[in-house]
Short mmCIF file of all heavy atoms in Angstrom, two decimals:
data_model
loop_
_atom_site.label_atom_id
_atom_site.label_comp_id
_atom_site.label_asym_id
_atom_site.label_seq_id
_atom_site.Cartn_x
_atom_site.Cartn_y
_atom_site.Cartn_z
N LEU A 526 70.61 84.06 66.56
CA LEU A 526 71.34 82.83 66.86
C LEU A 526 72.21 83.01 68.09
O LEU A 526 72.26 82.13 68.97
CB LEU A 526 72.20 82.43 65.66
CG LEU A 526 71.53 81.77 64.46
CD1 LEU A 526 72.55 81.50 63.37
CD2 LEU A 526 70.85 80.48 64.85
N VAL A 527 72.92 84.12 68.15
CA VAL A 527 73.80 84.38 69.31
C VAL A 527 72.96 84.47 70.59
O VAL A 527 73.34 83.93 71.63
CB VAL A 527 74.62 85.66 69.08
CG1 VAL A 527 75.45 85.99 70.32
CG2 VAL A 527 75.54 85.50 67.87
N ARG A 528 71.83 85.16 70.51
CA ARG A 528 70.95 85.27 71.69
C ARG A 528 70.47 83.89 72.13
O ARG A 528 70.43 83.59 73.33
CB ARG A 528 69.74 86.15 71.35
CG ARG A 528 70.06 87.62 71.22
CD ARG A 528 68.90 88.38 70.60
NE ARG A 528 67.72 88.34 71.43
CZ ARG A 528 67.32 89.35 72.22
NH1 ARG A 528 68.04 90.45 72.26
NH2 ARG A 528 66.22 89.25 72.92
N VAL A 530 71.97 80.96 71.65
CA VAL A 530 73.08 80.23 72.23
C VAL A 530 73.33 80.70 73.66
O VAL A 530 73.52 79.88 74.57
CB VAL A 530 74.35 80.38 71.37
CG1 VAL A 530 75.57 79.87 72.11
CG2 VAL A 530 74.19 79.63 70.05
N LEU A 531 73.36 82.00 73.88
CA LEU A 531 73.57 82.52 75.23
C LEU A 531 72.48 82.06 76.18
O LEU A 531 72.74 81.73 77.34
CB LEU A 531 73.64 84.05 75.21
CG LEU A 531 74.87 84.68 74.53
CD1 LEU A 531 74.72 86.19 74.46
CD2 LEU A 531 76.15 84.31 75.27
N ILE A 534 73.09 78.32 77.33
CA ILE A 534 74.27 77.95 78.13
C ILE A 534 73.83 77.82 79.58
O ILE A 534 73.43 78.80 80.22
CB ILE A 534 75.39 78.99 77.97
CG1 ILE A 534 75.88 79.02 76.52
CG2 ILE A 534 76.56 78.67 78.90
CD1 ILE A 534 76.96 80.04 76.24
N LEU A 537 75.30 80.08 82.48
CA LEU A 537 75.33 81.52 82.23
C LEU A 537 74.00 82.14 82.64
O LEU A 537 72.94 81.59 82.35
CB LEU A 537 75.61 81.77 80.74
CG LEU A 537 75.73 83.19 80.24
CD1 LEU A 537 76.80 83.28 79.14
CD2 LEU A 537 74.39 83.70 79.67
N PHE A 548 75.13 89.59 80.60
CA PHE A 548 75.15 88.24 81.14
C PHE A 548 76.27 88.11 82.16
O PHE A 548 77.22 88.91 82.18
CB PHE A 548 75.29 87.19 80.03
CG PHE A 548 76.54 87.33 79.20
CD1 PHE A 548 77.74 86.74 79.59
CD2 PHE A 548 76.53 88.04 78.01
CE1 PHE A 548 78.89 86.85 78.83
CE2 PHE A 548 77.67 88.16 77.24
CZ PHE A 548 78.85 87.58 77.65
N MET A 557 76.43 91.68 75.08
CA MET A 557 76.32 91.53 73.63
C MET A 557 75.53 92.72 73.11
O MET A 557 74.46 93.06 73.62
CB MET A 557 75.59 90.22 73.28
CG MET A 557 75.13 90.13 71.83
SD MET A 557 73.89 88.82 71.62
CE MET A 557 73.27 89.22 69.97
N LEU A 566 80.63 91.00 71.30
CA LEU A 566 80.56 90.37 72.61
C LEU A 566 81.81 90.74 73.38
O LEU A 566 82.94 90.61 72.86
CB LEU A 566 80.48 88.84 72.49
CG LEU A 566 79.10 88.24 72.21
CD1 LEU A 566 78.81 88.30 70.71
CD2 LEU A 566 79.03 86.79 72.68
N LEU A 573 84.80 89.64 71.08
CA LEU A 573 84.56 88.82 69.89
C LEU A 573 83.57 89.57 69.01
O LEU A 573 82.48 89.92 69.46
CB LEU A 573 84.01 87.44 70.27
CG LEU A 573 83.56 86.55 69.12
CD1 LEU A 573 84.76 86.16 68.25
CD2 LEU A 573 82.86 85.29 69.64
N ILE A 575 81.40 89.30 65.69
CA ILE A 575 80.86 88.41 64.66
C ILE A 575 80.38 89.27 63.50
O ILE A 575 79.50 90.13 63.67
CB ILE A 575 79.72 87.55 65.23
CG1 ILE A 575 80.25 86.68 66.37
CG2 ILE A 575 79.12 86.67 64.14
CD1 ILE A 575 79.20 85.82 67.03
N TRP A 615 88.81 80.30 66.61
CA TRP A 615 87.36 80.46 66.50
C TRP A 615 86.75 79.44 65.56
O TRP A 615 85.66 79.62 65.08
CB TRP A 615 87.01 81.87 66.05
CG TRP A 615 87.70 82.90 66.89
CD1 TRP A 615 88.54 83.87 66.45
CD2 TRP A 615 87.64 83.04 68.30
NE1 TRP A 615 89.01 84.59 67.50
CE2 TRP A 615 88.46 84.12 68.65
CE3 TRP A 615 86.98 82.35 69.32
CZ2 TRP A 615 88.64 84.53 69.95
CZ3 TRP A 615 87.16 82.76 70.63
CH2 TRP A 615 87.97 83.84 70.93
N LEU A 631 73.50 76.46 64.02
CA LEU A 631 73.41 76.84 65.43
C LEU A 631 74.59 76.26 66.22
O LEU A 631 75.14 76.91 67.11
CB LEU A 631 72.09 76.35 66.02
CG LEU A 631 71.82 76.73 67.48
CD1 LEU A 631 71.70 78.24 67.63
CD2 LEU A 631 70.56 76.05 68.00
N GLU A 632 75.01 75.04 65.89
CA GLU A 632 76.12 74.41 66.60
C GLU A 632 77.43 75.14 66.33
O GLU A 632 78.28 75.25 67.21
CB GLU A 632 76.23 72.94 66.20
CG GLU A 632 76.96 72.08 67.20
CD GLU A 632 76.17 71.86 68.49
OE1 GLU A 632 74.99 72.25 68.55
OE2 GLU A 632 76.75 71.30 69.43
N ARG A 633 77.62 75.65 65.12
CA ARG A 633 78.83 76.41 64.83
C ARG A 633 78.87 77.71 65.62
O ARG A 633 79.93 78.11 66.13
CB ARG A 633 78.92 76.69 63.32
CG ARG A 633 79.19 75.44 62.50
CD ARG A 633 79.46 75.76 61.05
NE ARG A 633 79.69 74.53 60.30
CZ ARG A 633 80.86 73.91 60.21
NH1 ARG A 633 81.90 74.42 60.83
NH2 ARG A 633 80.98 72.80 59.52
N ILE A 634 77.74 78.37 65.73
CA ILE A 634 77.70 79.58 66.56
C ILE A 634 77.95 79.23 68.02
O ILE A 634 78.63 79.95 68.76
CB ILE A 634 76.34 80.29 66.39
CG1 ILE A 634 76.18 80.80 64.96
CG2 ILE A 634 76.21 81.45 67.37
CD1 ILE A 634 77.14 81.88 64.57
N ARG A 635 77.43 78.08 68.46
CA ARG A 635 77.64 77.65 69.84
C ARG A 635 79.14 77.44 70.12
O ARG A 635 79.65 77.82 71.17
CB ARG A 635 76.87 76.36 70.11
CG ARG A 635 76.77 76.01 71.59
CD ARG A 635 76.16 74.63 71.79
NE ARG A 635 74.97 74.41 70.98
CZ ARG A 635 73.77 74.88 71.31
NH1 ARG A 635 73.60 75.58 72.41
NH2 ARG A 635 72.73 74.64 70.52
N VAL A 636 79.84 76.83 69.16
CA VAL A 636 81.28 76.62 69.34
C VAL A 636 82.02 77.96 69.46
O VAL A 636 82.89 78.14 70.31
CB VAL A 636 81.84 75.79 68.17
CG1 VAL A 636 83.36 75.79 68.18
CG2 VAL A 636 81.33 74.36 68.25
N LEU A 637 81.66 78.91 68.59
CA LEU A 637 82.31 80.23 68.64
C LEU A 637 82.10 80.89 70.00
O LEU A 637 83.04 81.41 70.61
CB LEU A 637 81.75 81.12 67.53
CG LEU A 637 82.01 80.71 66.08
CD1 LEU A 637 81.39 81.73 65.15
CD2 LEU A 637 83.49 80.58 65.81
N ILE A 638 80.86 80.89 70.48
CA ILE A 638 80.53 81.59 71.72
C ILE A 638 81.16 80.87 72.92
O ILE A 638 81.77 81.51 73.80
CB ILE A 638 79.00 81.69 71.90
CG1 ILE A 638 78.36 82.42 70.71
CG2 ILE A 638 78.67 82.39 73.20
CD1 ILE A 638 78.87 83.80 70.48
N GLU A 639 81.05 79.56 72.99
CA GLU A 639 81.56 78.85 74.15
C GLU A 639 83.09 78.89 74.21
O GLU A 639 83.67 78.99 75.29
CB GLU A 639 81.05 77.40 74.15
CG GLU A 639 79.55 77.30 74.32
CD GLU A 639 79.15 76.09 75.16
OE1 GLU A 639 79.98 75.61 75.95
OE2 GLU A 639 78.00 75.65 75.02
N ARG A 640 83.76 78.83 73.10
CA ARG A 640 85.21 79.00 73.12
C ARG A 640 85.59 80.38 73.66
O ARG A 640 86.55 80.52 74.42
CB ARG A 640 85.77 78.81 71.71
CG ARG A 640 86.03 77.35 71.38
CD ARG A 640 86.72 77.23 70.05
NE ARG A 640 87.21 75.89 69.87
CZ ARG A 640 87.38 75.30 68.71
NH1 ARG A 640 87.06 75.94 67.62
NH2 ARG A 640 87.85 74.07 68.64
N PHE A 641 84.86 81.37 73.23
CA PHE A 641 85.14 82.73 73.69
C PHE A 641 84.93 82.87 75.19
O PHE A 641 85.71 83.53 75.88
CB PHE A 641 84.23 83.71 72.92
CG PHE A 641 84.29 85.12 73.42
CD1 PHE A 641 85.43 85.88 73.23
CD2 PHE A 641 83.20 85.68 74.08
CE1 PHE A 641 85.49 87.20 73.70
CE2 PHE A 641 83.25 86.98 74.54
CZ PHE A 641 84.40 87.74 74.35
N LEU A 642 83.88 82.24 75.74
CA LEU A 642 83.57 82.37 77.16
C LEU A 642 84.48 81.51 78.04
O LEU A 642 84.88 81.93 79.13
CB LEU A 642 82.11 81.99 77.40
CG LEU A 642 81.05 82.90 76.78
CD1 LEU A 642 79.65 82.35 77.05
CD2 LEU A 642 81.17 84.32 77.30
N TRP A 643 84.79 80.31 77.58
CA TRP A 643 85.55 79.39 78.41
C TRP A 643 87.04 79.67 78.39
O TRP A 643 87.75 79.33 79.35
CB TRP A 643 85.30 77.94 77.97
CG TRP A 643 83.99 77.38 78.42
CD1 TRP A 643 82.85 77.30 77.70
CD2 TRP A 643 83.67 76.83 79.71
NE1 TRP A 643 81.84 76.73 78.43
CE2 TRP A 643 82.33 76.43 79.68
CE3 TRP A 643 84.40 76.64 80.88
CZ2 TRP A 643 81.69 75.85 80.76
CZ3 TRP A 643 83.77 76.05 81.97
CH2 TRP A 643 82.44 75.67 81.91
N LYS A 644 87.55 80.26 77.34
CA LYS A 644 89.01 80.44 77.24
C LYS A 644 89.59 81.27 78.40
O LYS A 644 90.60 80.85 78.99
CB LYS A 644 89.38 81.07 75.89
CG LYS A 644 90.89 81.19 75.71
CD LYS A 644 91.26 81.62 74.31
CE LYS A 644 92.78 81.66 74.16
NZ LYS A 644 93.20 81.98 72.79
N LEU A 786 84.85 69.81 72.23
CA LEU A 786 85.30 71.20 72.12
C LEU A 786 86.73 71.31 72.61
O LEU A 786 87.06 70.84 73.70
CB LEU A 786 84.38 72.11 72.96
CG LEU A 786 84.67 73.60 72.91
CD1 LEU A 786 84.45 74.14 71.50
CD2 LEU A 786 83.77 74.35 73.90
#
Side-chain angles (χ1 to χ4, degrees):
L526 283 178
V527 176
R528 288 167 64 101
V530 168
L531 291 174
I534 296 178
L537 182 143
F548 59 86
M557 166 197 167
L566 278 82
L573 173 65
I575 300 179
W615 309 122
L631 183 64
E632 201 70 8
R633 291 188 181 276
I634 295 294
R635 193 187 314 281
V636 169
L637 296 180
I638 302 301
E639 295 216 23
R640 275 186 168 152
F641 173 69
L642 295 177
W643 283 98
K644 184 172 182 176
L786 183 64

